[in-house]
């Protein structure tokens, strides 16, 4: 059986996209071109349906998945004796040859899947979302966040990647299989804990709610316990304790904000992080003015209304930017 790779790729594409009417129309035209095409299609379809192929095509990179399937077909073909057959004998030979091909493909896939990790990518846009990992751990993603995680953990270490934005991790304890969050060049090592990670520009911020973690970057490392935070400079590798870190860093998820003698500048930073906005203070406003207040499950307009009553400032919102103005003098 000759194996024109372009024909095989075309057939696999058609099998993967049954909903594509234009592609299926091309397939019908190709099949009507001759019995050889129909026989080739039937052979590939049989292997595709019976072999454990599904995992090949679960990834977004379909061309790479197709290439792997074709490579296994190449390997399987070598297991079939090269014998010149007439038309009648070829029809009798095909079921046995198909069985040999099927076994070879299945064996190749089994060996391949033992060590291969299937990565899944998740990106949020204007809404937070969450991910449940294979071990029961949960990841809560803030807006505009991206993460990569394995469909199943293999080996000694559990590892995920925060490629952008902010996420809260609630990790199942498993001392035998430690958990690592990779964010750029930095790594956060945990056994079982809950913590927040924010990757922004050249800074990675970590805040621990429960348990403990170790933040590492090259030769630098810092251990954090519950209630502690740190920032890591991804350019210099410097890791330092963030004394201003607190539960307000989780407000984007909990909607709980607590301010005790907090400067107006810090209040604006907490609101910006919690509600995904940029707050611009008028140059004439003192950034050190203090606020004592607690907000629970309040919307941003409700909080701004309270601040207006306390400070007598005027808040003007344009899209995702809020401008804070001094009161107009009468």
């Amino acid at each position: 059986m000759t194996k024109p790779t372009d024909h095989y790729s075309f057939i696999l594409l058609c099998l993967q996209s049954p909903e594509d009417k234009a592609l299926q129309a091309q397939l019908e035209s190709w099949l009507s071109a001759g019995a050889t095409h129909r026989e080739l299609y039937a052979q590939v379809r049989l292997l595709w349906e019976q072999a454990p192929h599904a995992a090949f095509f679960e990834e977004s990179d379909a061309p790479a998945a197709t290439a792997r399937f074709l490579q296994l077909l190449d390997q399987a073909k070598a297991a079939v004796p090269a014998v010149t057959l007439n038309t009648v004998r070829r029809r009798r030979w095909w079921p046995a040859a198909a069985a040999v091909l099927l076994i070879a493909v299945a064996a190749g896939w089994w060996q391949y899947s033992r060590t291969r990790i299937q990565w899944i990518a998740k990106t949020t846009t204007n809404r937070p979302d969450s991910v449940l990992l294979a071990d029961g751990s949960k990841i809560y993603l803030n807006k505009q966040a991206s993460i990569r995680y394995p469909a199943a953990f293999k080996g000694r270490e559990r590892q995920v990647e925060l490629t952008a934005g902010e996420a809260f991790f609630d990790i199942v304890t498993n001392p035998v299989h430690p958990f690592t969050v990779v964010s750029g060049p930095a790594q956060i090592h945990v056994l079982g804990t809950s913590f927040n990670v924010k990757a922004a520009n050249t800074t990675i911020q970590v805040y621990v709610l429960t348990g403990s973690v170790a933040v590492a970057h090259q030769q630098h490392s810092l251990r954090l316990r519950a209630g502690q935070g740190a920032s890591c400079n991804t350019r210099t590798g410097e890791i330092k304790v963030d004394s201003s870190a607190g539960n307000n860093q989780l407000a984007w998820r909990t909607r709980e904000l607590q301010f005790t003698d907090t400067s107006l500048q810090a209040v604006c930073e907490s609101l910006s992080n919690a509600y995904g906005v940029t707050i611009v203070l008028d140059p004439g406003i003192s950034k050190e003015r203090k606020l004592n207040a607690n907000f629970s499950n309040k919307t941003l307009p409700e909080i701004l209304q309270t601040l207006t009553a306390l400070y007598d400032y005027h808040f003007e919102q344009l899209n995702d930017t809020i401008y804070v103005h001094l009161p107009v003098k009468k």
Side-chain angles (χ1 to χ4, degrees):
M1 177 179 66
T2 59
K3 177 184 174 299
T5 303
D6 54 337
H7 287 175
Y8 269 72
S9 299
F10 172 69
I11 293 173
L12 287 174
L13 182 61
C14 293
L15 291 171
Q16 295 170 46
S17 309
E19 76 288 347
D20 191 328
K21 295 181 180 180
L23 187 61
Q24 295 303 316
Q26 294 179 29
L27 175 62
E28 290 298 326
S29 176
W30 183 80
L31 291 174
S32 64
T36 303
H37 287 186
R38 291 190 292 273
E39 180 181 359
L40 182 63
Y41 175 78
Q43 294 170 2
V44 177
R45 181 176 180 178
L46 177 62
L47 289 177
W48 193 86
E49 290 177 343
Q50 295 187 26
H53 61 82
F56 277 95
F57 305 102
E58 288 177 354
E59 299 176 279
S60 59
D61 191 355
T66 300
R68 290 197 302 273
F69 189 85
L70 292 174
Q71 183 179 12
L72 286 179
L73 284 178
D74 279 333
Q75 297 170 358
K77 183 181 175 184
V80 182
V83 181
T84 303
L85 303 171
N86 57 35
T87 303
V88 176
R89 290 181 63 194
R90 185 183 296 115
R91 292 173 183 171
R92 296 176 181 175
W93 164 82
W94 162 243
V100 174
L101 284 167
L102 179 59
I103 293 172
V105 170
W109 168 246
W110 177 81
Q111 180 63 30
Y112 177 76
S113 61
R114 287 181 63 193
T115 56
R116 176 179 174 273
I117 296 178
Q118 295 179 11
W119 288 88
I120 300 173
K122 177 78 172 180
T123 299
T124 56
T125 53
N126 295 324
R127 288 186 178 182
D129 204 346
S130 61
V131 169
L132 178 64
L133 301 181
D135 65 343
S137 298
K138 296 179 181 179
I139 303 176
Y140 301 86
L141 301 174
N142 201 351
K143 301 175 183 178
Q144 310 299 330
S146 296
I147 197 166
R148 292 179 72 245
Y149 61 96
F153 292 110
K154 298 182 180 181
R156 183 178 181 275
E157 188 178 72
R158 298 172 290 167
Q159 180 174 299
V160 300
E161 298 178 9
L162 178 65
T163 55
E166 184 173 21
F168 179 82
F169 298 82
D170 190 359
I171 305 304
V172 172
T173 302
N174 189 340
V176 179
H177 300 284
F179 194 96
T180 299
V181 178
V182 177
S183 185
Q187 297 182 351
I188 300 96
H189 303 285
V190 305
L191 292 177
T193 181
S194 56
F195 58 99
N196 196 77
V197 181
K198 181 178 182 179
N201 299 321
T202 60
T203 302
I204 297 173
Q205 295 175 309
V206 181
Y207 175 71
V208 181
L209 181 62
T210 62
S212 63
V213 306
V215 183
H217 182 291
Q218 298 175 358
Q219 73 273 22
H220 302 280
S221 181
L222 179 65
R223 190 174 185 85
L224 299 175
R225 300 189 181 279
Q228 294 182 324
S231 62
C232 173
N233 188 310
T234 58
R235 288 182 177 175
T236 64
E238 180 185 12
I239 303 173
K240 59 182 180 180
V241 174
D242 183 0
S243 58
S244 65
N247 285 353
N248 283 351
Q249 290 184 238
L250 310 177
W252 65 267
R253 192 176 73 88
T254 64
R255 286 296 185 260
E256 299 286 336
L257 286 163
Q258 298 178 346
F259 300 111
T260 304
D261 288 333
T262 307
S263 68
L264 183 58
Q265 178 67 34
V267 170
C268 291
E269 291 174 356
S270 294
L271 292 177
S272 296
N273 183 65
Y275 294 94
V277 296
T278 300
I279 300 180
V280 180
L281 290 173
D282 187 289
I285 296 177
S286 173
K287 297 180 180 180
E288 298 305 317
R289 190 168 183 179
K290 305 298 183 181
L291 173 66
N292 289 280
N294 294 331
F295 300 99
S296 179
N297 292 318
K298 298 295 184 181
T299 64
L300 182 58
E302 289 174 333
I303 294 177
L304 295 181
Q305 185 177 9
T306 299
L307 295 179
T308 299
L310 290 173
Y311 289 133
D312 196 27
Y313 294 149
H314 173 60
F315 294 86
E316 178 188 12
Q317 183 167 358
L318 297 175
N319 299 321
D320 292 332
T321 302
I322 296 175
Y323 298 91
V324 186
H325 305 289
L326 288 167
V328 178
K329 295 182 180 180
K330 298 181 180 179

